[in-house]
Amino acid sequence: MKRTVAHLLATCFGIGHAPVAPGTVASFASLLIYQLVPTLQQPLVLLPLVILLTVAGIWAGSVMEELFGNDPSIVVIDEWVGQWLALLLIPHGWIPALLAFGFFRLFDIAKPWIIDRAQRLPHGWGIMADDVLAGIAANVSVQLLMVGAAML
């Protein structure tokens, strides 16, 4: 039962089994859910959900590492958390959302500086930490870009 629950959570109900780029597929799925479920656009709903999924992801990621080795590609709950952090408190609309998606994927794939170091934490902590930091970096990037555009 523990393995089944961990698998369902870690793969976001199977999205992690996408045959190509499961992390990108999961990030885009979380973006669509965010855009299509207006309740998620409320920070007082999204932030607790992100915290809950982060805790669940640490546990599920640790279980999945026991089964499949270090940071298995089927684990994508971290992409949902990171993408939703990238979307938190940005203006609503498809353009800001797609910018958040692009910046999140950039930071998650390139893993500059501390993001790379964070993924070296043990077990589920490392799985989740790099995406949390990539989501924050993406959010700050979008916020700065929006402020810069408003100043023009």
Side-chain angles (χ1 to χ4, degrees):
M1 180 72 164
K2 173 179 135 177
R3 290 178 179 179
T4 301
V5 171
H7 185 267
L8 286 172
L9 286 173
T11 64
C12 294
F13 300 94
I15 293 172
H17 291 288
V20 178
T24 300
V25 171
S27 295
F28 193 72
S30 67
L31 168 75
L32 288 177
I33 292 168
Y34 173 86
Q35 287 293 99
L36 298 174
V37 180
T39 305
L40 289 178
Q41 297 171 10
Q42 299 173 20
L44 292 176
V45 173
L46 188 59
L47 186 58
L49 181 59
V50 163
I51 292 168
L52 179 67
L53 287 180
T54 299
V55 172
I58 291 168
W59 172 77
S62 295
V63 172
M64 297 301 283
E65 278 196 338
E66 290 173 14
L67 298 171
F68 298 104
N70 186 44
D71 200 0
S73 63
I74 62 171
V75 174
V76 293
I77 192 171
D78 51 332
E79 267 75 27
W80 278 33
V81 166
Q83 186 62 64
W84 282 345
L85 280 171
L87 292 162
L88 186 67
L89 296 172
I90 66 164
H92 303 301
W94 281 102
I95 291 175
L98 290 171
L99 286 169
F101 173 78
F103 276 117
F104 173 66
R105 294 312 300 147
L106 174 69
F107 286 116
D108 187 33
I109 292 166
K111 297 194 188 313
W113 185 53
I114 197 164
I115 298 171
D116 182 55
R117 295 197 58 172
Q119 79 172 354
R120 298 179 197 165
L121 291 169
H123 310 297
W125 291 95
I127 290 173
M128 297 303 296
D130 68 314
D131 289 81
V132 165
L133 292 175
I136 292 168
N139 187 292
V140 169
S141 297
V142 173
Q143 298 284 1
L144 290 173
L145 188 64
M146 303 290 290
V147 167
M151 294 176 83
L152 293 177

